[in-house]
Amino acid sequence: MTSPLRRPLVAGNWKMNTGVEEALELARQVQAGLPDRPPAEVVLLPPLISLWPLRQLLRGDDRIGLGAQNCYWERSGAFTGEVSAAMLRSLCDYVLVGHSERRQLFGETDDQVRLKLDAVLASGLRPIVAVGETLDQRQAGRTDDVIGAQARAAFQGLEPDLAARCTVAYEPIWAIGTGRSASPEDAAGAADAIRRVIDSLHPALARQIRVLYGGSVSAESAADLFAPEAVDGGLVGGASLRAGEFLAVVGAAAPV
Ligand code: PGA
């Protein structure tokens, strides 16, 4: 379980699922089932179209934060179909950047992820930056190199007060949506590797910055995955689309 220096966070990444009505219903169910003092900070990342309705629904409920799954780095202009971090400012608290589906399906590079991260920070929002290796990279023993390089690209040269506002999500690509999560030892090892990189860039911050695990987190696997001291909660995909299961995952973030 997370260090006392860091509050655990469990974020539900709904990906491209739920229309507005469904999103409202799912958020209502999460709201109704959450204890008054959840053991973790809870953040929902619905599709963009539902951020505003959910903002209205959750107004005054400080147990649940909202985040966007992506953004564009320019503030405004002729970028058809894009939404800027600046525009998200009044809608949410967090923005996920660098999810492997963005990197793999939409060709986002480390440099572009960094531009997004800078834009999120410049807008006063908090980035959750996702890093992770493919199965081939893991089998070749390159996990720490790959995620280390992604983390370095995100944190290098960042002002310490900005770096302190970031959360990292370690999401091995082979574990996403496959029902096969990493082992708690592998999750902890990856979180340690990420912290070593942060430590080399921002020594004062390495113990302060949260590192989440993501990839087939479920009600069954969550307690084990969140048990290592290095892991500060989770980024949850499929299981976040069922309120009961998501609430069980949040419950698993409680200290044992
Ligand atoms: P999953 O997705 O929990 O469905 O594996 C996690 C993610 O992609 O954030």
Side-chain angles (χ1 to χ4, degrees):
M1 185 47 53
T2 186
S3 145
L5 290 172
R6 309 183 292 269
R7 175 150 196 241
L9 186 152
V10 176
N13 175 12
W14 294 359
K15 307 193 179 182
M16 198 174 75
N17 295 293
T18 68
V20 174
E21 290 301 328
E22 280 173 290
L24 281 165
E25 183 51 32
L26 182 53
R28 265 188 218 110
Q29 290 173 6
V30 172
Q31 205 177 17
L34 210 57
D36 288 347
R37 291 178 189 202
E41 186 177 347
V42 175
V43 174
L44 304 178
L45 297 103
L48 274 179
I49 54 163
S50 294
L51 274 178
W52 178 245
L54 261 61
R55 190 69 164 179
Q56 303 303 311
L57 175 75
L58 299 172
R59 201 169 284 284
D61 188 341
D62 60 8
R63 299 170 305 166
I64 307 179
L66 284 173
Q69 300 170 17
N70 182 34
C71 70
Y72 195 58
W73 56 81
E74 296 287 352
R75 282 186 67 84
S76 62
F79 304 101
T80 302
E82 296 295 319
V83 170
S84 70
M87 291 168 175
L88 291 169
R89 191 181 178 150
S90 59
L91 297 181
C92 59
D93 320 289
Y94 287 88
V95 183
L96 178 59
V97 297
H99 189 280
S100 62
E101 285 151 18
R102 301 292 323 168
R103 293 182 193 258
Q104 292 205 310
L105 302 175
F106 302 97
E108 284 184 15
T109 63
D110 277 347
D111 288 348
Q112 290 173 334
V113 172
R114 175 57 184 267
L115 286 169
K116 292 183 178 198
L117 182 130
D118 286 340
V120 170
L121 289 168
S123 298
L125 296 166
R126 294 173 180 269
I128 300 174
V129 54
V131 302
E133 82 288 1
T134 64
L135 190 57
D136 283 352
Q137 289 165 336
R138 169 160 286 265
Q139 286 170 343
R142 296 183 49 223
T143 299
D144 288 3
D145 289 349
V146 170
I147 62 179
Q150 291 169 342
R152 191 166 298 108
F155 282 96
Q156 199 148 34
L158 214 52
E159 294 295 327
D161 58 325
L162 295 179
R165 300 212 335 250
C166 298
T167 296
V168 180
Y170 166 61
E171 296 210 308
I173 294 168
W174 47 271
I176 294 179
T178 59
R180 179 180 161 216
S181 62
S183 68
E185 295 72 30
D186 286 344
D192 286 340
I194 290 163
R195 282 216 175 80
R196 279 197 296 277
V197 170
I198 298 174
D199 189 45
S200 71
L201 299 167
H202 303 284
L205 296 178
R207 286 184 56 74
Q208 209 178 301
I209 290 175
R210 291 182 291 201
V211 181
L212 314 181
Y213 168 78
S216 295
V217 175
S218 65
E220 294 75 52
S221 64
D224 287 344
L225 285 164
F226 299 166
E229 200 252 334
V231 177
D232 305 314
L235 180 57
V236 188
S240 71
L241 293 170
R242 297 177 292 277
E245 183 159 15
F246 182 64
L247 289 163
V249 171
V250 172
V256 277

